[in-house]
Amino acid sequence: MENCYKRMPNDVEMPAVSDDQQALLMEECAFADIYKARRERRERILRESVPLFIRNKERILADEKTARCHIDGIRFGLAYSGEWKMPVAFLGGLLRLWENPLFQTECPKCHETAYCTGGGGSPLSGVKNIAMTCGSCGHQFEAHSTKADLKAVSFGNALVAAIQNSNAGLGEMEDECLPIEDVVHMLELEEYNAKQKEA
């Protein structure tokens, strides 16, 4: 405890860290934990919801707030270099991005089309691992190659550019939008109600 105090002119001991500084530090740690939990949840929601988004593509693109849903769960990292700063994709932009064969591959389970939700690789060997989710059966897997044979760095650059291009015309980041949690629940509820009517 001696290190936590410093001698003042009047022989009064003062803590090196005040109660308010300690409270601030605890708040910042709590915020960091909350942000990490939200990021992990949204990455999971994105990967689990690919079939839902594919089924409802026209519905999503027809609603501005839904089309502008911020998808911040796409990650791309390189060994030795760390995670790249990826632009936030709009959900409508992500659906456009998935039309590009570069971000598709065949699902090994049902042989339908699977779509890229992130990835990484090595800048030295060029080997890349792309996170994929099938738009039909929902199978999640990693692909080591895509229809376009790009090395890891080239693929990362292409992904960044494609996200930026696919957002065009859907509005601005500051415009009103729905969070992914609300979009997924709304689409699931609409599909459930449609099935109930058919039954």
Side-chain angles (χ1 to χ4, degrees):
M1 287 297 288
E2 294 173 2
N3 298 355
C4 296
Y5 292 85
K6 55 186 178 182
R7 189 66 62 180
M8 300 299 286
N10 297 333
D11 277 350
V12 176
E13 287 187 341
M14 281 289 290
V17 178
S18 72
D19 290 344
D20 289 335
Q21 287 176 310
Q22 187 64 33
L24 176 63
L25 180 61
M26 291 175 66
E27 288 168 356
E28 288 177 344
C29 289
F31 289 148
D33 289 343
I34 290 169
Y35 178 78
K36 180 183 177 187
R38 174 183 286 185
R39 174 177 135 167
E40 289 173 351
R41 182 181 72 246
R42 288 183 166 175
E43 288 175 358
R44 174 185 56 78
I45 291 171
L46 170 61
R47 295 205 71 189
E48 290 176 354
S49 303
V50 171
L52 179 71
F53 295 150
I54 294 297
R55 288 194 306 270
N56 291 278
K57 179 178 178 180
E58 297 307 319
R59 162 75 178 81
I60 291 166
L61 292 171
D63 184 289
E64 290 181 356
K65 291 181 185 177
T66 305
R68 275 196 303 270
C69 169
H70 293 180
I71 303 296
D72 53 4
I74 297 179
R75 305 287 164 198
F76 189 85
L78 291 172
Y80 319 111
S81 305
E83 190 173 284
W84 285 19
K85 181 165 179 59
M86 301 298 292
V88 173
F90 290 146
L91 178 55
L94 187 60
L95 289 166
R96 291 176 180 172
L97 177 123
W98 286 341
E99 293 173 353
N100 185 334
L102 175 61
F103 306 107
Q104 302 175 357
T105 195
E106 182 180 307
C107 173
K109 190 172 180 182
C110 72
H111 307 291
E112 295 295 329
T113 305
Y115 303 93
C116 169
T117 56
S122 168
L124 301 180
S125 68
V127 173
K128 62 185 182 300
N129 297 307
I130 309 303
M132 308 295 291
T133 301
C134 180
S136 181
C137 71
H139 178 56
Q140 297 177 20
F141 61 98
E142 282 197 350
H144 300 289
S145 62
T146 57
K147 289 181 182 177
D149 186 20
L150 293 178
K151 293 188 180 295
V153 173
S154 300
F155 183 88
N157 288 331
L159 181 58
V160 170
I163 290 174
Q164 292 170 335
N165 291 337
S166 65
N167 282 346
L170 294 173
E172 303 298 327
M173 283 293 168
E174 300 77 22
D175 293 342
E176 191 175 357
C177 66
L178 293 174
I180 191 171
E181 294 85 352
D182 288 357
V183 170
V184 167
H185 183 67
M186 177 185 68
L187 294 175
E188 289 176 338
L189 191 58
E190 288 177 0
E191 286 191 346
Y192 174 79
N193 289 336
K195 286 179 183 177
Q196 292 298 104
K197 286 180 182 178
E198 291 173 3

